[in-house]
Amino acid sequence: MLVVGVSGSPRKAGNTEFLLNEALAVARERGFETEYIHCSELKIDFCTDCGDCSKGKPCPKEDDVARVLAALEKSDGIIVASPVYFGSITAQLKAIFDRTIQLRRQNFKLKNKVGCAITVGGSRNGGQEKALETVHAWMHIHGMVVVGDDSHFGGIAVRPAAEDRIGRKTVVSSANKLCDLLEKMEMMGGCWKGE
Ligand SMILES: Cc1cc2nc3c(=O)[nH]c(=O)nc-3n(C[C@H](O)[C@H](O)[C@H](O)COP(=O)(O)O)c2cc1C
């Protein structure tokens, strides 16, 4: 099974990527395949609601979104990580979220995939929980199954992430919870997907 990680940070090798790498390492150790989408490496335009995807057509914008959509579509689990920007996710990640509307409009292609979220801020109470909620809203609106970190809402850390022992624990717990559920779903066969 495949777990795809999406980093919403425009900064390469920053705190968000550090934490997402930790989460994906957990999945790999447990035998999952992983794929990493770095928002910092992508050119993603804004959705302008042209309506093409509602008519079953491909998105007319010529950028990197097709790569992201293909990875999300083939995944079983999705881990989204974002820095906190003004109490929410980054604009870059929101642009990606909006462009995934075509997956929803074309037969809810992310339905029943398992998701969890990771956020990191410069302040201890800088809006990490609010940013997590934004990611969770995206997942729920796609019909995904959302998990937290086994006791709270997901992976929550403060910069510098490498030194945040408690925050890193919530990231590892979230990744383990996502993998636990995927394993249980696999044991159930295709029936949980409505097959
Ligand atoms: C535009 C901007 C807005 C920010 N807003 C917040 C905020 O509201 N709360 C917070 O705790 N940190 C805030 N930060 C700090 C970042 O969340 C923090 O530096 C984070 O570790 C960046 O992640 P990265 O290292 O992956 O880029 C902000 C940073 C920037 C650049």
Side-chain angles (χ1 to χ4, degrees):
M1 284 198 284
L2 174 68
V3 176
V4 170
V6 181
S7 162
S9 177
R11 264 169 23 95
K12 278 192 210 308
N15 296 274
T16 309
E17 292 195 0
F18 173 84
L19 294 169
L20 188 53
N21 273 326
E22 281 209 315
L24 292 178
V26 167
R28 276 193 300 278
E29 277 159 25
R30 293 184 56 158
F32 291 83
E33 284 178 54
T34 62
E35 195 170 320
Y36 200 132
I37 307 267
H38 298 260
C39 159
S40 56
E41 295 172 357
L42 301 173
K43 180 185 176 294
I44 305 287
D45 293 332
F46 296 123
C47 175
T48 50
D49 199 11
C50 67
D52 279 11
C53 63
S54 297
K55 297 172 196 139
K57 295 186 199 163
C59 182
K61 291 193 186 290
E62 290 179 7
D63 60 9
D64 296 325
V65 86
R67 252 173 71 193
V68 181
L69 300 184
L72 294 177
E73 201 181 330
K74 71 179 182 209
S75 73
D76 300 285
I78 300 171
I79 304 178
V80 176
S82 180
V84 184
Y85 276 15
F86 283 96
S88 188
I89 60 171
T90 61
Q92 289 85 350
L93 181 58
K94 184 63 165 67
I96 291 178
F97 281 178
D98 289 350
R99 294 290 300 288
T100 64
I101 187 77
Q102 52 197 300
L103 297 179
R104 186 174 190 277
R105 284 178 173 168
Q106 294 176 4
N107 210 21
F108 276 85
K109 293 194 173 95
L110 301 187
K111 195 180 178 86
N112 289 339
K113 296 185 190 292
V114 180
C116 72
I118 297 167
T119 58
V120 54
S123 303
R124 165 118 349 244
N125 300 307
Q128 285 89 333
E129 288 189 2
K130 291 169 74 71
L132 278 189
E133 280 175 3
T134 303
V135 177
H136 289 170
W138 172 77
M139 291 175 170
H140 283 304
I141 289 166
H142 274 292
M144 291 175 58
V145 180
V146 179
V147 298
D149 66 335
D150 224 18
S151 60
H152 291 101
F153 306 108
I156 290 187
V158 67
R159 186 191 66 209
E163 292 172 25
D164 182 5
R165 189 179 52 82
I166 296 169
R168 286 170 68 183
K169 222 168 140 186
T170 64
V171 168
V172 169
S173 303
S174 301
N176 272 315
K177 180 101 179 164
L178 178 131
C179 293
D180 288 347
L181 186 55
L182 283 174
E183 282 172 1
K184 286 186 169 65
M185 285 170 150
E186 194 178 37
M187 275 161 40
M188 289 167 69
C191 61
W192 62 270
K193 289 181 178 168
E195 287 167 5

